[in-house]
Amino acid sequence: MPSHKQRKADKVGTLIIIGGHEDREGKREILKEVAGRVGKGKLVVTTVASEEPEESFEDYRKIFQDLGLKGVTHLNVNQRADADSEENGKLLQDARGLFFTGGDQLRITSLIGETHMETHIHNLFESGGVICGTSAGASVMCETMMIESEGGESHRIGRLRMAPGLGLIRDVVIDQHFAERGRMGRLLGAVAQNPRVLGIGLDEDTAIVVEELCYFTVLGEGAVYVVDGSCITHSNIAEEAEDHILSLYDVKLHVLSEGDTFDLKERRPLNAHQQDAGTNLENSATIPEIENPQETPATDG
Amino acid sequence: MPSHKQRKADKVGTLIIIGGHEDREGKREILKEVAGRVGKGKLVVTTVASEEPEESFEDYRKIFQDLGLKGVTHLNVNQRADADSEENGKLLQDARGLFFTGGDQLRITSLIGETHMETHIHNLFESGGVICGTSAGASVMCETMMIESEGGESHRIGRLRMAPGLGLIRDVVIDQHFAERGRMGRLLGAVAQNPRVLGIGLDEDTAIVVEELCYFTVLGEGAVYVVDGSCITHSNIAEEAEDHILSLYDVKLHVLSEGDTFDLKERRPLNAHQQDAGTNLENSATIPEIENPQETPATDG
């Protein structure tokens, strides 16, 4: 089996990236979307990020079975050898979807980075599978992920810690629990470091469904913030002392709510009106038919 | 005496607008700036916003006297009659500066709106005086002020409550305790209602010094966020239900730190390099000489 690094993707699949604390008892809109996408296939829930893997799996198993999934399987990793085991590899080889629970994103990457499990995950995604992650499981999808920084304060230049992520989606940096933990400062800090990356901040109980790495649609109760640094005219990030507050001029910010769609290649939101009229879509990714339209949430209002 | 509504300003003065929790024990950089601006004049501290006016005045009296001010005077208002009294009017007539403490901004406007005290405040400002306010005293300076809304969550369309403020500065809406209380959502909500207003979010222990209503300079430990909605291409604020999350595309955001200057008329930051080179200044307000240069904080680094 070729490594995912050499392998050319046939047709990359779907990412469902969740800002943490998704509703598990009410409408369960986001988890319903996951279940709808996996359909009759097998969903592997990996608790590698978690300190309490059994409890975490048990929660999700009940919900996903309640939502109609038949093949919900647990994949836990306590040490790197688990991520290289043939048994665990087989779990992923015939899966339709993978779900990363929350916890610590550094546990995920330090335990599965450069193992067979990582290769299987990329293979699943690159053959059209559904990769989902909530909280730490959301952050880890980026090529470079945020791992630690204070919320609830403005960004000081030297405060942000980043690390290599799984690289399922490139050119973006994802933050979660966004409005709830006051993380605008740190997301601006990440984008300031290199405006090549688009900052995406996800509120709790809010997700983006990323289709073929081309565009995403917002789902859930909160907002999604997109920080586009391409037009920044001034930043003090490379000039000032580490404890100095970040200055950043001319950032473009979009606030998106349920039903809004964003074109990742053009870095543009497509609102409902634009989609109806076909405006902008000529230059955008084609929006494919959704396989389970009955599972797709309607927008409010 | 003509009302401030009919009166044409000779030369409006300086506003020092503080995001709350300004340092009172360490460097006291912001309060030092206030003292420097008042100089040998009289500073009236008004505790109208506060539930504990005596304690609050006593704190500020000690600090301002310690910083060298001779004439620190207390003006408290418990009922509207106090704001109309001749005695209190005299306090303001020969003042050089006025300082609004924190508390509840609705106490300020409901107690002093359309009284002689309000007229005296406008007269002081319009004859070159220094008007300062922290926390509630910052919000109240706007023509339309925010009075209540949740922080730490994204903005829902119907959640923002606003009220008429003192109108010392027009075309802006000011929020305080900004990063600390996760208030980006509500500031975006205020700007979405009418992009004519520029949103200004002030962190704690951070101030803007507004000169002649033309430009401001940032002072203190945190950041100042400027939300410019002039280029917004889409908003759902008038379309969706009250509990729907706000969508807002193409907001311009500036993050400013100590020493940064912002031109309110051009809606542009002027960074140090631009100021040195004179770029943009041709179209901007003339930056006047500051009277007490020794009191002006240097930028870090």
Side-chain angles (χ1 to χ4, degrees), chain A residues 151-156 179-182 184-185 188 203 220-225 233-234 236 239-241 243-258 260-261 268-272 274 299-301, chain B residues 151-156 179-182 184-185 188 203 220-225 233-234 236 239-241 243-258 260-261 268-272 274 299-301:
Chain A
E153 59 176 36
S154 291
H155 185 66
R156 289 181 193 275
E180 293 79 5
R181 298 192 187 170
M184 181 60 85
L188 289 163
D203 284 355
E221 282 297 302
V224 172
Y225 296 77
T233 55
H234 167 77
N236 65 354
E239 294 158 24
E240 293 287 359
D243 64 346
H244 198 285
I245 288 281
L246 176 71
S247 282
L248 208 54
Y249 302 170
D250 294 293
V251 178
K252 189 180 285 181
L253 174 68
H254 308 288
V255 190
L256 310 177
S257 64
E258 185 161 74
D260 285 343
T261 298
R268 291 295 310 158
L270 303 171
N271 67 26
Q274 286 174 313
T299 56
D300 284 2
Chain B
E153 60 176 34
S154 289
H155 184 66
R156 290 180 194 276
E180 293 79 6
R181 299 191 186 170
M184 180 60 84
L188 289 164
D203 284 355
E221 280 298 301
V224 172
Y225 296 77
T233 55
H234 168 78
N236 63 354
E239 295 157 25
E240 294 287 0
D243 63 346
H244 198 287
I245 287 282
L246 176 71
S247 282
L248 209 54
Y249 302 171
D250 295 294
V251 177
K252 190 181 282 183
L253 174 68
H254 307 286
V255 190
L256 311 177
S257 65
E258 184 161 76
D260 285 343
T261 298
R268 291 295 312 157
L270 304 170
N271 68 27
Q274 286 173 315
T299 55
D300 283 3

Side-chain angles (χ1 to χ4, degrees), chain B residues 14-278:
Chain B
T14 301
L15 300 175
I16 301 183
I17 309 177
I18 310 167
H21 286 180
E22 68 282 357
D23 177 26
R24 302 183 197 181
E25 290 168 358
K27 287 194 296 174
R28 302 177 296 189
E29 193 177 6
I30 293 168
L31 298 179
K32 208 175 274 179
E33 179 75 17
V34 172
R37 298 275 177 162
V38 172
K40 290 176 183 165
K42 187 173 83 178
L43 177 68
V44 175
V45 175
T46 181
T47 52
V48 50
S50 174
E51 299 277 2
E52 294 176 332
E54 297 302 331
E55 294 85 334
S56 180
F57 172 68
E58 205 41 37
D59 279 357
Y60 281 108
R61 187 192 58 76
K62 281 184 197 151
I63 295 165
F64 284 125
Q65 287 186 347
D66 191 44
L67 292 172
L69 290 192
K70 302 293 179 200
V72 183
T73 310
H74 188 194
L75 194 170
N76 192 36
V77 175
N78 274 319
Q79 47 192 331
R80 286 181 60 83
D82 299 338
D84 265 331
S85 81
E86 202 171 327
E87 190 187 354
N88 283 333
K90 281 184 186 155
L91 286 184
L92 283 167
Q93 276 172 308
D94 62 346
R96 164 82 181 142
L98 175 69
F99 189 99
F100 283 99
T101 66
D104 178 356
Q105 49 264 52
L106 268 185
R107 270 185 64 89
I108 304 176
T109 55
S110 62
L111 287 171
I112 76 173
E114 201 60 21
T115 65
H116 285 102
M117 181 170 164
E118 192 190 19
T119 305
H120 290 307
I121 292 169
H122 281 270
N123 288 343
L124 171 58
F125 181 53
E126 289 166 9
S127 60
V130 184
I131 313 287
C132 317
T134 186
S135 193
S139 292
V140 81
M141 299 213 184
C142 313
E143 57 182 321
T144 309
M145 64 182 182
M146 281 190 272
I147 50 173
E148 196 184 305
S149 174
E150 300 284 323
E153 60 176 34
S154 289
H155 184 66
R156 290 180 194 276
I157 290 169
R159 290 280 171 83
L160 188 61
R161 285 184 61 205
M162 301 190 86
L166 293 182
L168 290 162
I169 180 167
R170 298 187 184 271
D171 301 328
V172 305
V173 60
I174 290 167
D175 208 353
Q176 10 82 10
H177 301 284
F178 194 71
E180 293 79 6
R181 299 191 186 170
R183 289 178 163 177
M184 180 60 84
R186 76 182 210 177
L187 188 61
L188 289 164
V191 171
Q193 290 184 335
N194 188 343
R196 173 174 66 79
V197 298
L198 193 70
I200 301 179
L202 301 166
D203 284 355
E204 293 177 357
D205 194 21
T206 307
I208 56 173
V209 181
V210 185
E211 305 280 4
E212 296 179 32
L213 297 176
C214 293
Y215 71 94
F216 68 75
T217 301
V218 177
L219 190 62
E221 280 298 301
V224 172
Y225 296 77
V226 179
V227 174
D228 181 352
S230 55
C231 298
I232 287 172
T233 55
H234 168 78
S235 155
N236 63 354
I237 198 160
E239 295 157 25
E240 294 287 0
E242 288 218 333
D243 63 346
H244 198 287
I245 287 282
L246 176 71
S247 282
L248 209 54
Y249 302 171
D250 295 294
V251 177
K252 190 181 282 183
L253 174 68
H254 307 286
V255 190
L256 311 177
S257 65
E258 184 161 76
D260 285 343
T261 298
F262 190 89
D263 183 329
L264 285 163
K265 300 213 184 288
E266 298 291 326
R267 294 188 165 208
R268 291 295 312 157
L270 304 170
N271 68 27
H273 175 71
Q274 286 173 315
Q275 286 178 49
D276 290 347

Side-chain angles (χ1 to χ4, degrees), chain A:
Chain A
M1 180 169 39
S3 155
H4 67 274
K5 290 173 191 164
Q6 285 83 50
R7 191 161 181 267
K8 193 172 179 304
D10 301 322
K11 182 196 174 217
V12 295
T14 302
L15 300 174
I16 301 183
I17 310 177
I18 311 166
H21 286 181
E22 67 283 357
D23 176 26
R24 301 183 197 182
E25 290 166 359
K27 288 195 295 175
R28 300 177 299 188
E29 194 177 6
I30 293 169
L31 298 180
K32 209 176 272 179
E33 179 75 17
V34 173
R37 298 276 176 161
V38 171
K40 292 175 181 166
K42 187 172 87 180
L43 177 68
V44 175
V45 175
T46 181
T47 52
V48 50
S50 174
E51 299 276 1
E52 294 175 332
E54 296 302 332
E55 294 85 336
S56 180
F57 172 68
E58 206 41 36
D59 280 356
Y60 281 109
R61 186 190 60 75
K62 283 183 196 150
I63 295 166
F64 283 125
Q65 287 186 347
D66 191 44
L67 291 172
L69 290 191
K70 302 295 181 196
V72 184
T73 310
H74 188 194
L75 195 170
N76 191 35
V77 175
N78 274 318
Q79 47 191 332
R80 285 181 60 84
D82 300 336
D84 265 330
S85 81
E86 203 169 326
E87 190 188 354
N88 283 334
K90 281 184 185 156
L91 286 184
L92 284 168
Q93 274 171 308
D94 62 347
R96 165 81 181 142
L98 175 70
F99 189 100
F100 283 100
T101 67
D104 178 355
Q105 48 265 52
L106 267 186
R107 269 184 65 88
I108 304 177
T109 54
S110 62
L111 287 171
I112 77 174
E114 202 60 19
T115 65
H116 284 102
M117 181 172 164
E118 190 189 20
T119 304
H120 290 306
I121 292 169
H122 281 270
N123 287 342
L124 171 59
F125 181 53
E126 288 167 10
S127 59
V130 184
I131 313 285
C132 316
T134 185
S135 193
S139 292
V140 81
M141 299 214 186
C142 314
E143 56 183 323
T144 309
M145 62 183 184
M146 280 190 272
I147 50 173
E148 194 184 308
S149 174
E150 300 285 322
E153 59 176 36
S154 291
H155 185 66
R156 289 181 193 275
I157 290 168
R159 289 281 169 84
L160 187 62
R161 285 184 61 206
M162 302 190 85
L166 292 182
L168 289 162
I169 181 167
R170 298 187 184 272
D171 301 328
V172 305
V173 62
I174 291 166
D175 208 352
Q176 9 83 10
H177 302 283
F178 194 70
E180 293 79 5
R181 298 192 187 170
R183 288 179 162 176
M184 181 60 85
R186 77 182 208 176
L187 188 61
L188 289 163
V191 171
Q193 289 184 336
N194 187 343
R196 173 173 66 78
V197 298
L198 194 69
I200 301 179
L202 302 166
D203 284 355
E204 294 177 359
D205 194 21
T206 308
I208 56 173
V209 181
V210 185
E211 305 281 4
E212 297 180 29
L213 297 177
C214 291
Y215 71 96
F216 68 73
T217 302
V218 177
L219 190 63
E221 282 297 302
V224 172
Y225 296 77
V226 179
V227 174
D228 181 352
S230 55
C231 297
I232 288 171
T233 55
H234 167 77
S235 156
N236 65 354
I237 199 162
E239 294 158 24
E240 293 287 359
E242 289 217 332
D243 64 346
H244 198 285
I245 288 281
L246 176 71
S247 282
L248 208 54
Y249 302 170
D250 294 293
V251 178
K252 189 180 285 181
L253 174 68
H254 308 288
V255 190
L256 310 177
S257 64
E258 185 161 74
D260 285 343
T261 298
F262 191 88
D263 184 328
L264 286 163
K265 299 210 183 292
E266 298 290 327
R267 292 189 166 206
R268 291 295 310 158
L270 303 171
N271 67 26
H273 175 71
Q274 286 174 313
Q275 286 177 51
D276 292 344
T279 320
N280 276 3
L281 280 177
E282 285 175 38
N283 298 321
S284 306
T286 310
I287 300 184
E289 294 289 320
I290 290 169
E291 285 171 30
N292 302 291
Q294 72 282 12
E295 300 291 355
T296 308
T299 56
D300 284 2

